[in-house]
Amino acid sequence: MSNFGIEHLRVVNPFERAFREARSAVGGAEVLARATEFTSVADAVAECTLVVGTTAVRHRDLQHSLRRLEPGARAIRKHLSSSPVAILFGSEKFGLSNEDLSHCHWLLRIPTREEHRSMNLGQAVAVCLYELVRDPHAAVKPEKHTSAAAGDLERLTALLLDALRSSGYLKSVAGDSQKRRSAAPTEEKIRRLVRRLHLSAVDAELTLGILRQILWKSRQDDKPSN
């Protein structure tokens, strides 16, 4: 895990003495020291939006879709860009139980030869994590996107509607209830349009500034010259 930059180790009902007296490989002590214990798989994966189980298949009657490591890793990388993923590994002797697998969305298999499907647990983890990070783009962290607040979107909508009225796209309806009712659907469409843009807080602030400048300039141009 330390080799490949994966830091969050969670163990479910470990053999306490062996777990706490375990010694890490060189450089991996922090991963082991920070490992957290859980009493159930459900608790260990509670905040993950994708849970992937690993299996050698053998003669199991699988109730999940099964992916080879390569396409599976691509799917995991894509999901990791937006939310946490858990990869479950079972014991070397028994693997994951059917109850463990019931918490999974789909299963992952390392393509080993038919005559020798099982792998040492540490090796299986290393192979999976290597495939997960070997894509050169996998290490690029996605740009943090903080969505614009509803209040900012409403201010932006109001300015946009002002600009549309100034341009003649929307007719002024002040003082005429019938016209206000007829204009309401168009204004509601504009409001929904702004929400569909999914603007970030930064982009919303930039757009507000642009609209303010456009309105200021249009009003300056409309002033009668002396």
Side-chain angles (χ1 to χ4, degrees), residues 181-224:
R181 285 195 294 272
S182 64
T186 301
E187 295 186 5
E188 290 168 4
K189 288 179 181 178
I190 298 298
R191 181 171 283 104
R192 290 193 294 269
L193 170 64
V194 170
R195 272 68 179 172
R196 287 199 301 271
L197 295 175
H198 300 297
L199 293 173
S200 68
V202 173
D203 289 344
E205 186 64 30
L206 175 63
T207 308
L208 280 167
I210 292 171
L211 289 173
R212 290 190 186 105
Q213 181 64 25
I214 290 173
L215 282 169
W216 178 83
K217 186 65 170 67
S218 66
R219 287 163 182 166
Q220 293 297 311
D221 292 342
D222 289 343
K223 287 183 179 179

Side-chain angles (χ1 to χ4, degrees), residues 76 78 173:
I76 292 171
K78 183 177 180 180
V173 294

Side-chain angles (χ1 to χ4, degrees), residues 12 20 37 39 56 59 65 68 72 82 88 95 102 109-110 114 117-118 122 125 132 140 166 170 173 180-181 226:
V12 178
R20 287 304 166 192
E37 294 183 60
T39 58
H59 304 295
S65 60
R68 275 176 57 110
S82 59
L88 300 187
S102 70
R109 181 181 73 85
I110 297 173
E114 189 70 25
R117 287 195 168 193
S118 65
V125 172
L132 188 62
V140 179
S166 296
L170 290 178
V173 294
R180 278 199 296 273
R181 285 195 294 272
N226 294 328

Side-chain angles (χ1 to χ4, degrees), residues 18-31:
F19 175 56
R20 287 304 166 192
E21 294 182 1
R23 296 292 180 267
S24 70
V26 175
E30 290 186 4
V31 173

